[in-house]
Amino acid sequence: MGFLKRIIKSTHRDGALASQKSSFDHLTEEQLEHHLSISRYGSFKLTDAVRPSYNLDVVPSAGYRKDKYYDNETGAEIPVLLVAQTSERLMDLFVDLLDPLGEEVDLVLETSHQQAAGVHRDLYRESIDAPVLKSILWDHEELLLNDGCAGMAVLNPRVPYEVQFDEHKLIIVYGQDLTPFEAVLREHGIDCRRELKFITEAEHVHSSTAEYAEEFEQLCYTFGIER
């Protein structure tokens, strides 16, 4: 299915005004269609979920960056790994990054279907066996990779660790000791790059379809999550 036949949402970098000039302004239909048809940048291939700005403020590439998350309510500082991987290897990486969480995990499904730009809903499921979770994820691989309105987080509050697979198809890992996750990244040949920029740090567009929205509902039913 062509990218222009999908539901497309434009998103500016965090904190930008909605009225800010977009790189997509004043493009002809041919220019827009050509840009949205491009999924490969060198050795890196995007999923169908997202595309960068027309002027390529950020050129997608594989790698990971270390960062910190600051919890304003508790004042806690939590180490974070931000990860980008080419689409051909992305699902394998995400599934392998779930291993350090243990054999029983909690799940949060995130959806922005039929929501305003920048708004999403979180749907919770507690206590699911990790092998069962992974099997279901593989059954819905196409949805998880290519739906720009769906994401998830898998966590073990007893450890505690959290692995998020967001709408942009980036992987974000939270936890005090992230050594086990960095070991998985090395096994997958993912390099740590201090200056790495992600597609979320500039204007970009999300993409979805009505079929993906329906499949997301089926996924919720499979996990026993009430909408």
Side-chain angles (χ1 to χ4, degrees), residues 86-137:
T86 185
S87 62
E88 300 99 330
R89 304 172 187 170
L90 181 56
M91 194 69 177
D92 286 321
L93 175 61
F94 173 57
V95 170
D96 285 352
L97 283 169
L98 300 182
D99 288 342
L101 297 177
E103 290 301 310
E104 186 175 287
V105 296
D106 295 348
L107 172 69
V108 182
L109 292 181
E110 303 170 352
T111 174
S112 62
H113 293 111
Q114 300 178 335
Q115 303 289 323
V119 177
H120 72 267
R121 294 178 59 200
D122 291 340
L123 307 167
Y124 298 88
R125 159 69 195 270
E126 295 182 349
S127 300
I128 182 170
D129 290 338
V132 174
L133 169 64
K134 291 179 181 180
S135 177
I136 295 172
L137 297 184

Side-chain angles (χ1 to χ4, degrees), residues 72-86:
N72 293 327
E73 293 185 1
T74 65
E77 182 180 279
I78 304 173
V80 177
L81 301 177
L82 304 168
V83 187
Q85 174 63 303
T86 185

